[in-house]
Amino acid sequence: MICLRAIPSPRLHLPLLRRLRRPSAAAMSSSTTSPAIAAPIEHFVLIKVRPEAAASGAAAAMVSSLQALSALVPGLAYIHAGPVLRLRSPAAEALGPTHLLHSRYAAKPDLAAYAAHPAHVAAVQAHVAPNALDATAVDWVNAADLPSPVAPGAAVRLTLAKVRDGVEVARLVEEVREATRAAAGVGEGAARVSFGENFSPARAKGFQFGMVAVFGSVEELDAVEGDAKVEQAKAALRPLLDEVMVLDFVVDAPAAAASL
């Protein structure tokens, strides 16, 4: 297990507070877009692959085997596997993930069925286990007011957090909910976000909270850096946090995938 160093002044990245374009009805109904489930079960696995796996093409084969599960596992509403675009915090750099898997489910039993499905077990045994130096996994039920559909080409920021001693995770969830409502509003123009308390601590390395913010492109994600509302929200949440891990990835990015 990688030892994550403490961060004296943790920063929760909240690009989600920027007003983004509401996804169109066509985009939300597209077969290549994650279904707009009202309260999806989010599942993330961060994988640090062996350098030789990236060089030999084994990492690319791992990604392909995980992506193929979309046609093999019932109840799997959405899945993306691919490389990490960039690590955005000291905790992310210490953890060192190079790849990740993101999947969604309508209910917890669907996630349990996916974990036990022979196709998933086979992919893990044949491609993930031999090529991974380390893995971190978190799961949460989306506590946001709106779904956060993900389309090809989207840029996604993942934030995992540990709360300070004496702080309830439920309080952080509520504070983030109120911050997103206040800054972005609910309804037309609301940001596409998902966040909640991690309910699978066994492989989470102490991370208790997860959040994703979905943008139409990397340019849209980068445009929110330094936004006044974002900085205000960070300042309000910082006293609750002990350690924060932030990374970005792009969904179905051919150029990135080809470089594996």
Side-chain angles (χ1 to χ4, degrees):
M1 179 179 295
I2 296 176
C3 178
L4 302 180
R5 61 181 181 272
I7 303 175
S9 299
R11 301 180 64 193
L12 181 62
H13 286 234
L14 285 175
L16 52 102
L17 300 179
R18 181 87 166 202
R19 288 181 180 271
L20 301 181
R21 294 191 303 274
R22 187 179 180 85
S24 67
M28 293 180 72
S29 63
S30 169
S31 61
T32 59
T33 302
S34 60
I37 301 170
I41 305 298
E42 304 276 13
H43 174 62
F44 271 93
V45 181
L46 309 183
I47 304 167
K48 181 178 183 178
V49 303
R50 300 178 183 278
E52 59 270 26
S56 68
M62 177 189 73
V63 167
S64 296
S65 71
L66 295 172
Q67 287 283 170
L69 296 177
S70 61
L72 302 174
V73 181
L76 179 55
Y78 166 80
I79 190 168
H80 164 75
V84 170
L85 175 64
R86 54 198 177 191
L87 304 176
R88 297 301 303 264
S89 71
E93 292 172 359
L95 197 62
T98 58
H99 295 73
L100 59 79
L101 176 141
H102 175 206
S103 54
R104 286 177 165 174
Y105 311 82
K108 289 182 181 180
D110 294 325
L111 172 58
Y114 158 83
H117 194 280
H120 170 255
V121 174
V124 171
Q125 292 179 343
H127 296 282
V128 180
N131 297 306
L133 286 170
D134 186 64
T136 305
V138 295
D139 305 302
W140 71 85
V141 181
N142 184 16
D145 293 303
L146 294 172
S148 54
V150 183
V156 183
R157 175 157 293 177
L158 170 67
T159 300
L160 303 181
K162 302 176 185 179
V163 298
R164 292 188 185 277
D165 290 342
V167 176
E168 296 291 333
V169 181
R171 178 185 171 192
L172 175 60
V173 172
E174 186 58 31
E175 292 283 351
V176 171
R177 181 188 290 113
E178 291 305 315
T180 58
R181 287 172 176 169
V186 176
E188 188 66 23
R192 292 174 287 167
V193 302
S194 170
F195 54 86
E197 181 173 356
N198 175 42
F199 62 79
S200 300
R203 295 189 297 155
K205 295 187 173 65
F207 289 106
Q208 302 154 293
F209 171 88
M211 177 172 62
V212 289
V214 182
F215 297 83
S217 66
V218 173
E219 290 74 22
E220 283 190 12
L221 189 161
D222 289 342
V224 304
E225 297 295 341
D227 180 86
K229 290 181 179 179
V230 174
E231 295 305 317
Q232 184 178 3
K234 289 179 184 179
L237 294 169
R238 194 167 295 129
L240 306 179
L241 304 171
D242 180 50
E243 185 174 24
V244 179
M245 192 237 51
V246 185
L247 61 79
D248 300 334
F249 65 95
V250 177
V251 177
D252 296 335
S259 68
L260 293 177

